[in-house]
Amino acid sequence: FSTLTQSWYGTYFQDQITFFDKLHIMGGGRYDWATRSSGSASTSIEAARNRETEVQNDAFSPRVGLVYQPWPWLALYGNYVESLGGANPALASSGKPRDSETAQQHEVGFKTELFDKNLLTTVAFYDLTKQNVATADPTNPRFSVQTGEARSRGMEVDVSGQVTDGLNLIASYAYTDTEITKDNRGDQGHRFWNVPKNSGSFWAKYAVQEPFLRGLSFGAGAYLIGQREGNNANTWQMPGYVRIDALLGYAWKVGHSTVTTQLNVNNLLDKTIYETSAFGGFLAQPGAPRTFMGSIRVEF
């Protein structure tokens, strides 16, 4: 028998100022209160409640940013933000919840709108550091210890746009370099577990333009995940994979409303993939096999 209660409250403020119609400066912050309590017992739920332990975390997190737009089609930006994560879901071997994660992030990049805003791009470079990261307890892997600190650096590229009438493309790529910078188990300097260096996706969707088939649409996409470390000791690796998804949809007018039916097929090729490792590398979790999902949407 186990209990779990979690609450998270916050208050924030921010202000944005514009100079010369090209420079935008934003500043603000928020204060968070995160509480998590849990208990367990082998006799009853009441006994579990009586054995609850609680962790409370609170912090002020500032955020600042600026955007400079020299031309209407180009925006350069930068920001700095700190954060307090929600109460950490990990538990110590004593049954007590772990402290919340904290983080600091620097980011710079640019965004463009080209070809009459039909092609949108975003390129971002970031440096993110997280503290109080939970990993498996080496003496009892069902529970967790808090590694200390991990850093993630990298870049992300997103491109989306309408190539021709009815054809839309979305592409993304991320390069992520992770490192455990503080550790109490000898893993300092290793890559952080379960984070691929390279990942990306490509999706295309076409809405048929011929009058007698108008309303029909179809699409397909590929999601690429590179090799990942299976644990923080970097003693084994999760294999990379490519997952193919597809959709088929049809929309029609009913009075003043639009009805859209759609069939999505995830993992179209029914490949065996391993999406994540858990408990700090003691368990590999497979992804779902070929999955069909139908939907009906009414807009009015």
Side-chain angles (χ1 to χ4, degrees), residues 135-136 141 193 229-232 235-236 238 277-284:
T135 57
W193 67 294
E229 298 295 336
N231 57 16
N232 282 340
T235 56
W236 65 279
M238 296 276 290
S277 60
F279 298 107
F282 290 90
L283 174 66

Side-chain angles (χ1 to χ4, degrees), residues 157-176:
V157 180
D158 295 284
V159 181
S160 62
Q162 182 174 332
V163 180
T164 63
D165 289 342
L167 179 59
N168 289 274
L169 302 178
I170 300 175
S172 66
Y173 169 75
Y175 173 80
T176 309

Side-chain angles (χ1 to χ4, degrees), residues 47-59:
R49 290 195 182 98
N50 291 333
R51 297 182 61 183
E52 284 185 351
T53 56
E54 183 179 87
V55 167
Q56 294 180 331
N57 297 110
D58 61 276

Side-chain angles (χ1 to χ4, degrees), residues 55 73 150 164-165 181 199 211 213 225 243-244 258 294:
V55 167
W73 56 271
T164 63
D165 289 342
T181 51
S199 61
L213 290 177
I225 302 296
R243 192 190 80 216
I244 305 296
T258 300

